[in-house]
Amino acid sequence: MVLVHGSMDRAAGLRAVVDRLTDLDVTTYDRRGYGSRTAEPVHGSIEEHVGDLMLQIGATAAVVVGHSYGASVALAAAARHPERVLAIGAFEPALRWLSWWPEVTSAAVAIETAARSGTGAAVEKFVRSAVGDAAWEGMSDDARSARQAEGPALIAELAGLGRDEPPFTLADIGVPTVAGTGTRSPSHLRRAARTVAAEVPGAELYEITDAPHAAHLTHPAEFADFVRRVVARV
């Protein structure tokens, strides 16, 4: 199986989850522009990220679990390559093209800030907005610099996931799907999970009690249980 990280994250952010899945064959990877791949050209479309995911899956098929933007990549992969995706776990995917998606979110603030002040400032705004001021202020100077170097990847993928052209249609996804959410997550992200559960045929909703959007960091054991529920759907 393959785990796909979200925006301003990296494979290392999923390590505590992977440590609890030692009986499974789990692959994680840094998406382009993040972590070990910061220097690589960034992707501006979800289709390009799907292509990278397919390379990770290889010639056979796999269970795919994604967090946030990574969940959107996982859903898009299932829509385009159902023969290569055994089941999907989508934890609070970014569904910016839906009519009810708020105009003002962490992503929107980051895009606006990048246009005005550059990608480094956008990263700071995104982190502060998404996970709180303490998360940013608690970083070392080196950690902040590393995050700011990932700014081009952040802005490219957020801008590429536009509000006008849906990259996939939920009703067209035909693989077993589990939509995950945390009970302390922002309301629009919880609604995103409920929407996936309602519109993907046969999908189910999986809630992690007291977890925020970054449930893989704050509740890794429970997130691992979510992953196991996805595997059980195969």
Side-chain angles (χ1 to χ4, degrees), residues 32-44:
R32 287 178 186 257
Y34 290 104
S36 64
R37 306 177 71 183
T38 303
E40 295 186 26
V42 300
H43 284 332

Side-chain angles (χ1 to χ4, degrees), residues 75 90-95 98 100-102 170 177-208 226:
L75 290 166
F91 195 91
E92 299 179 349
L95 305 177
L98 296 183
W100 52 262
W101 195 263
L170 292 172
T177 300
V178 182
T181 187
T183 60
R184 289 178 47 219
S185 290
S187 59
H188 68 287
L189 295 176
R190 288 182 50 73
R191 185 173 180 180
R194 293 196 302 271
T195 299
V196 171
E199 296 189 12
V200 174
E204 65 179 90
L205 183 67
Y206 189 102
E207 289 190 327
I208 299 179
F226 163 62

Side-chain angles (χ1 to χ4, degrees), residues 2-15 27-38 49 52-53 56 64-74 89 91-92 147 150 153-154 157 213 216-217 223:
V2 183
L3 303 184
V4 189
H5 70 80
S7 298
M8 288 313 303
D9 203 354
R10 53 190 72 174
L14 294 161
R15 185 174 298 138
T27 293
T28 60
Y29 66 103
D30 290 330
R31 292 192 293 104
R32 287 178 186 257
Y34 290 104
S36 64
R37 306 177 71 183
T38 303
H49 284 288
D52 282 350
L53 172 57
Q56 296 294 327
V64 181
V65 175
H67 173 263
S68 195
Y69 185 91
S72 299
V73 174
F91 195 91
E92 299 179 349
R147 291 299 188 184
E150 297 169 342
L154 171 70
E157 65 191 25
H213 182 54
H216 60 300
L217 299 175
F223 198 95

